[in-house]
Amino acid sequence: MYTDNELFDILNESGEKTGQTMERGEVHRTGALHGSVHIWVIRRRLEGSEVLLQKRASDKDSYPDCWDAASTGHINAGEDSLSAAVREVEEELGINAAPSELIPLFRSRVREDNVFNGKRFINNEITRVYLLRRDIRDEELRPERAEISELKWFGAERLGVLLESGSGDFCVDREELREVLSCAESLLG
């Protein structure tokens, strides 16, 4: 569970640590550049790929009640992106993944200025995107109820249609999903 006083490393535009740290609440008030991770879980079925999404809890300070990648989170001060990904998968999904099961796919840059629950929230991140390369059984999933209200598998094709329609129920970036699915195609065969 997050708190406003978690410490994050502040990054420069190249994604390198500047040596400065800042509390989470201040990072999102000022728009300071920081790091995050997105971990995608995809399984193959005869009828096509399925993508695991989490529904963010209604009291989250950003994107409440919104469908998002299976596991997402910030990189804490002093932490690297792979360690953050391993930690987030354990905290949010209850899965103890080995670092070798988390395949780095790409980096993305996010800059958004939103209002959630009446408060301004500036999201200025360099996100490291990972694929969890593991066959996940539903009974393995133990979502952290303080942050996730529901987990659900979506057919990749159906999810693409929902995102194209502009449904406000999703905070998944369409381009990120397309790239993840393209990478997964070659990695998962």
Side-chain angles (χ1 to χ4, degrees), residues 135-153:
D135 188 24
I136 301 295
R137 297 179 324 274
D138 290 341
E139 57 272 9
E140 286 181 86
L141 297 168
R142 295 179 315 280
E144 181 182 13
R145 293 297 172 198
E147 293 200 32
I148 298 172
S149 63
E150 185 179 352
L151 291 172
K152 183 176 178 180
W153 292 97

Side-chain angles (χ1 to χ4, degrees), residues 82-144:
L82 181 58
S83 298
V86 168
R87 176 180 50 76
E88 289 293 343
V89 167
E90 172 66 29
E91 287 177 4
E92 293 189 348
L93 302 178
I95 294 173
N96 186 4
S100 61
E101 293 178 299
L102 289 157
I103 309 303
L105 300 180
F106 55 89
R107 281 181 9 169
S108 66
R109 182 71 162 77
V110 176
R111 174 83 168 108
E112 301 170 325
D113 192 342
N114 295 295
V115 175
F116 299 107
N117 303 315
K119 290 176 70 178
R120 186 173 184 203
F121 188 94
I122 303 171
N123 198 24
N124 189 18
E125 299 177 341
I126 294 178
T127 303
R128 187 66 163 138
V129 180
Y130 289 88
L131 176 67
L132 178 59
R133 189 175 191 169
R134 181 174 177 178
D135 188 24
I136 301 295
R137 297 179 324 274
D138 290 341
E139 57 272 9
E140 286 181 86
L141 297 168
R142 295 179 315 280
E144 181 182 13

Side-chain angles (χ1 to χ4, degrees), residues 10-166:
I10 303 306
L11 308 176
N12 64 25
E13 287 296 329
S14 299
E16 299 160 336
K17 296 176 183 180
T18 64
Q20 180 185 8
T21 60
M22 195 178 285
E23 289 185 351
R24 181 185 198 282
E26 187 67 13
V27 161
H28 288 294
R29 273 190 296 282
T30 64
L33 183 58
H34 60 286
S36 67
V37 292
H38 289 177
I39 302 93
W40 291 86
V41 178
I42 298 173
R43 66 182 180 190
R44 302 301 225 151
R45 295 291 182 249
L46 290 176
E47 57 280 354
S49 295
E50 291 182 322
V51 180
L52 182 66
L53 296 184
Q54 63 160 280
K55 188 169 188 182
R56 296 168 62 84
S58 60
D59 62 349
K60 293 286 284 183
D61 66 350
S62 63
Y63 304 98
D65 293 318
C66 195
W67 290 100
D68 202 352
S71 183
T72 64
H74 290 98
I75 301 171
N76 293 328
E79 192 175 39
D80 62 53
S81 66
L82 181 58
S83 298
V86 168
R87 176 180 50 76
E88 289 293 343
V89 167
E90 172 66 29
E91 287 177 4
E92 293 189 348
L93 302 178
I95 294 173
N96 186 4
S100 61
E101 293 178 299
L102 289 157
I103 309 303
L105 300 180
F106 55 89
R107 281 181 9 169
S108 66
R109 182 71 162 77
V110 176
R111 174 83 168 108
E112 301 170 325
D113 192 342
N114 295 295
V115 175
F116 299 107
N117 303 315
K119 290 176 70 178
R120 186 173 184 203
F121 188 94
I122 303 171
N123 198 24
N124 189 18
E125 299 177 341
I126 294 178
T127 303
R128 187 66 163 138
V129 180
Y130 289 88
L131 176 67
L132 178 59
R133 189 175 191 169
R134 181 174 177 178
D135 188 24
I136 301 295
R137 297 179 324 274
D138 290 341
E139 57 272 9
E140 286 181 86
L141 297 168
R142 295 179 315 280
E144 181 182 13
R145 293 297 172 198
E147 293 200 32
I148 298 172
S149 63
E150 185 179 352
L151 291 172
K152 183 176 178 180
W153 292 97
F154 286 82
E157 195 170 306
R158 177 175 172 256
L159 180 56
V161 169
L162 289 168
L163 294 177
E164 290 297 325
S165 74

